[in-house]
Amino acid sequence: SLLKLFWRDLRRDFTANRGRRFGQALVMARELPSDIRHLHVHYLHTPASVVRYAAFLTDRSWSFSAHAKDIWTIPDWEKREKMNAALWGVTCTRQGFGHLDTLAPGRTSLVYHGLDLSRFPDPVQNRTGCDGSDAGNPIRILSIGRAVAKKGFDDLLQALAALPPDLNWQFAHIGGGELLNDLKQRAKALNIAHRVAFMGMLDQANVVSVLRESDLFVLPCKEASSGDRDGLPNVLMEAASQKRAILATNFAGIPEFIHDGQEGVLVPPGNWEMLSNALNMLIRDPERRQRLANTAFERLRRDFSMNGGIDALMQRFQDTAQETVFAPS
């Protein structure tokens, strides 16, 4: 029964959140239209618990999409049991797929979510010749993402502060987040606050506008102390869509899109010294930045457009629709 299932979970995760999941599942089960026979949920942590309980109670099938935090911050027993209970699942990075498939072989498929290129304008030519040597023309460095530990913005500020004094640069960060004030204080302590702009959260149109005005996009992701990590951040693909050179870390799903020295430059996560050295070299070499940006743009269009992922998911849903769970009751 559902109560036995819930009690088994509660004994291993005796938290208020577990109780809330059960309550939300009861409401969901009551409100579901009778003609809906299959449920699909994004994220394998709390949302999948709610859907699993509701599907169990109402004799429906369900499937899931797993991403990043939901993979790496819940215990293996919970992931294993959910995957085995679901009809099927997908995840969006090869690293995440490898982990999930080890826990429950054959229950999950790899489907890159990709980028909807129709939502972005054609790229504009990057500024050529900007190498940080002109006192009146600083190179523009940009990063986008929530101010949380796994984004590595503390490493980025340290790397920027270590750049040679002869370079002229400006850095802009777009995003909110719990560590934003800490980052502002860190920039002051490193004596680079006059070169750093924290722009807060912006709508997509303004994000794209700032991105098109930048010269170099940087995202130094790493694993947080909680175990949280990124998958393949969309902002990297967004930077590629505007032909901006990318500097990131060789971590999580990032190397699945960016090969070091081809679509961008990758450094080890958590290593601000190597990050600073890579920044220095890329700033001084606008021709290399342009080559990297062009290659990333072509790879994005060829292998990471949204259409491929949508087609794969559509096929899965069509196959599901033909199964007996949709037969009239």
Side-chain angles (χ1 to χ4, degrees), residues 37 43 127 141 151 184 208 220 270 276:
R37 302 302 307 160
Y43 303 111
R127 296 186 301 161
I141 304 165
K151 298 296 183 181
K184 292 178 180 179
V208 172
S276 185

Side-chain angles (χ1 to χ4, degrees), residues 248-259:
T249 46
N250 188 12
F251 183 68
I254 294 172
E256 297 175 42
F257 174 51
I258 298 172
H259 301 100

Side-chain angles (χ1 to χ4, degrees), residues 132-135 138-142 157 159-173 187-188 190-199 283:
S133 63
D134 185 347
I139 192 165
R140 302 163 187 166
I141 304 165
L142 176 65
L157 292 178
L160 290 168
L163 287 173
D166 65 309
L167 287 181
N168 187 16
W169 56 268
Q170 293 178 346
F171 170 66
H173 169 266
K188 291 179 181 178
L190 292 168
N191 296 317
I192 58 172
H194 61 292
R195 295 188 176 197
V196 176
F198 292 98
M199 306 181 71
I283 288 171

Side-chain angles (χ1 to χ4, degrees), residues 105-292:
R107 307 300 296 175
T108 309
S109 300
L110 174 63
V111 177
Y112 289 115
H113 47 65
L115 194 70
D116 182 0
L117 295 176
S118 68
R119 297 174 58 239
F120 294 85
D122 292 335
V124 294
Q125 180 66 34
N126 203 343
R127 296 186 301 161
T128 57
C130 184
D131 59 4
S133 63
D134 185 347
N137 188 25
I139 192 165
R140 302 163 187 166
I141 304 165
L142 176 65
S143 198
I144 303 171
R146 291 182 301 124
V148 293
K150 67 179 180 179
K151 298 296 183 181
F153 293 133
D154 55 339
D155 296 330
L156 178 52
L157 292 178
Q158 192 74 42
L160 290 168
L163 287 173
D166 65 309
L167 287 181
N168 187 16
W169 56 268
Q170 293 178 346
F171 170 66
H173 169 266
I174 297 175
E178 60 195 41
L179 298 180
L180 191 57
N181 287 332
D182 292 343
L183 293 176
K184 292 178 180 179
Q185 293 303 314
R186 188 174 183 84
K188 291 179 181 178
L190 292 168
N191 296 317
I192 58 172
H194 61 292
R195 295 188 176 197
V196 176
F198 292 98
M199 306 181 71
M201 297 180 66
L202 301 177
D203 60 27
Q204 184 187 354
N206 283 314
V207 169
V208 172
S209 178
V210 176
L211 184 56
R212 289 159 72 88
E213 294 172 359
S214 68
D215 300 300
L216 175 60
F217 186 85
V218 186
L219 191 69
C221 297
K222 60 183 178 180
E223 183 173 353
S225 59
S226 65
D228 190 13
R229 64 178 74 178
D230 265 313
L232 173 54
N234 267 14
V235 291
L236 295 176
M237 292 184 280
E238 291 171 6
S241 80
Q242 300 307 301
K243 287 191 178 181
R244 291 309 180 253
I246 296 170
L247 169 59
T249 46
N250 188 12
F251 183 68
I254 294 172
E256 297 175 42
F257 174 51
I258 298 172
H259 301 100
D260 183 34
Q262 298 181 40
E263 292 85 13
V265 172
L266 300 181
V267 298
N271 191 322
W272 65 263
E273 294 97 336
M274 293 189 68
L275 182 64
S276 185
N277 185 54
L279 271 169
N280 181 30
M281 292 190 293
L282 282 171
I283 288 171
R284 297 180 187 276
D285 195 344
E287 292 184 0
R288 186 186 183 206
R289 294 199 308 269
Q290 193 62 63
R291 288 197 302 271
L292 295 170

